[in-house]
Amino acid sequence: MTMPYYRLMGQIFVATETWDDIPDVMEAMSKVGLTKDEIDEGRSLVEQGEKLVERRRKEAGGERIAAHGVHTACEELEMWVHSAKANLRRRVDDPEVTERAIGHGLHAHDHTVSVIAGVFRTLGVLRTDPRVRQGYERQQSLKDLIVRGSRLLAKLFDCTVSMVGEISTSRRSDVFSELRDHQNTMEAWVVDLANSAEQLGDQPEILGLVGYLPEGVGIPMGGSSFAVPLHQRAQHDEIPDPDETGPTAGWSAGRQGRNRENMGEGFVNPKFD
């Protein structure tokens, strides 16, 4: 198993916080071998991980471009969470579902860890709570929402890699080797979580709250396309008039506004109407 450093921190954080906050999760996970000592160890691993990232930033120097990429990716995920919240409120007439998926108080010291942990929880509930599936008349709409969130989360993981990777610096530092060792320790902890989760395949709602779903449990993440928003839009657009013979952008809306740049000679000013 090789997971991004920040993914490990987010996964461990949501699991340990959920253990403390929801008694049903504590009871179920305890029965399959996850102990209080392991939960305390996981909480310490996240805290140590955050400190190592901060130390690496100070010793290796700031990387503004990488930090900006992480900040932007977090904002995109937070916007997705707001969309998911609006979706749930509109389609699922049960405030408890929205509270479990969105209203949690998962706040780590590092804001990026908080965002990752929260999205793990949101995706987990969307994928496992039967009330969510019942509320979506079109199952494809729910799957599209899940795919969009999972791809934005993967994008954030990609952005965080450079935040903990080794770079050439003017002075030697032991922080890089410590980051690698700590990553291995966190991976071992997540392996133990995975072993426990494998035994709870018949309780997908518990696993959804923890944000860790083994293969074959719940609605699959699926797909990898950033064209999902276009697909969602197409689902709600009116069917075009078959006699319409005017210029059309076809499937893609295009960055320049309905692809008007290919109408006429050369570049044309976009129009967003």
Side-chain angles (χ1 to χ4, degrees):
M1 175 188 295
T2 301
M3 290 186 181
Y5 193 89
Y6 265 90
R7 176 171 183 168
L8 290 165
M9 286 199 292
Q11 182 66 79
I12 296 172
F13 186 74
V14 66
T16 56
E17 290 297 299
T18 304
W19 168 286
D20 285 340
D21 293 343
I22 304 178
D24 290 348
V25 172
M26 181 188 298
E27 180 180 358
M29 299 300 286
S30 297
K31 289 180 179 179
V32 294
L34 199 63
T35 66
K36 178 67 165 58
D37 288 343
E38 287 178 297
I39 293 298
D40 290 340
E41 178 191 3
R43 189 175 295 107
S44 296
L45 287 175
V46 175
E47 292 175 358
Q48 184 181 352
E50 291 174 327
K51 290 178 181 177
L52 282 173
V53 171
E54 179 64 17
R55 181 180 150 203
R56 186 260 187 206
R57 185 189 66 80
K58 291 179 178 179
E59 294 184 7
E63 295 183 80
R64 289 185 296 174
I65 295 177
H68 177 71
V70 170
H71 178 73
T72 301
C74 283
E75 286 188 331
E76 290 177 333
L77 267 173
E78 289 171 328
M79 286 188 286
W80 174 82
V81 170
H82 284 298
S83 296
K85 184 176 183 179
N87 257 276
L88 285 175
R89 284 180 169 176
R90 184 171 67 251
R91 298 171 186 266
V92 183
D93 187 22
D94 191 334
E96 183 187 8
V97 175
T98 304
E99 182 66 24
R100 288 165 81 93
I102 312 291
H104 43 72
L106 297 172
H107 300 297
H109 176 73
D110 187 326
H111 177 67
T112 303
V113 175
S114 301
V115 172
I116 293 170
V119 172
F120 270 135
R121 167 71 66 78
T122 300
L123 285 170
V125 173
L126 290 176
R127 294 174 62 195
T128 59
D129 197 311
R131 293 168 294 183
V132 174
R133 292 194 296 275
Q134 293 167 5
Y136 278 77
E137 183 178 349
R138 292 178 58 87
Q139 290 295 298
Q140 189 60 48
S141 297
L142 175 57
K143 291 178 181 178
D144 288 345
L145 181 65
I146 292 171
V147 169
R148 175 65 172 167
S150 66
R151 294 315 303 164
L152 288 174
L153 188 58
K155 179 182 176 181
L156 175 56
F157 292 149
D158 289 342
C159 291
T160 60
V161 170
S162 60
M163 300 292 289
V164 295
E166 187 166 356
I167 60 175
S168 58
T169 58
S170 57
R171 57 178 179 174
R172 296 181 58 84
S173 174
D174 295 329
V175 70
F176 300 115
S177 60
E178 291 182 37
L179 281 165
R180 288 193 297 270
D181 291 343
H182 191 64
Q183 178 165 350
N184 293 334
T185 304
M186 290 195 294
E187 285 187 356
W189 195 98
V190 172
V191 167
D192 288 340
L193 174 66
N195 292 335
S196 297
E198 287 287 350
Q199 302 176 60
L200 292 174
D202 58 343
Q203 300 183 59
E205 290 180 63
I206 293 293
L207 298 176
L209 292 169
V210 174
Y212 191 99
L213 274 65
E215 191 72 27
V217 176
I219 298 174
M221 291 282 202
S224 61
S225 176
F226 280 103
V228 167
L230 298 178
H231 177 56
Q232 291 175 326
R233 186 185 309 165
Q235 286 180 313
H236 298 95
D237 282 351
E238 294 183 4
I239 299 176
D241 186 343
D243 296 327
E244 173 62 47
T245 58
T248 176
W251 172 254
S252 174
R255 285 188 177 274
Q256 298 301 328
R258 299 187 181 178
N259 286 346
R260 283 193 174 89
E261 62 267 41
N262 61 12
M263 296 171 57
E265 297 180 1
F267 185 84
V268 298
N269 293 325
K271 298 178 181 178
F272 298 95
D273 55 7

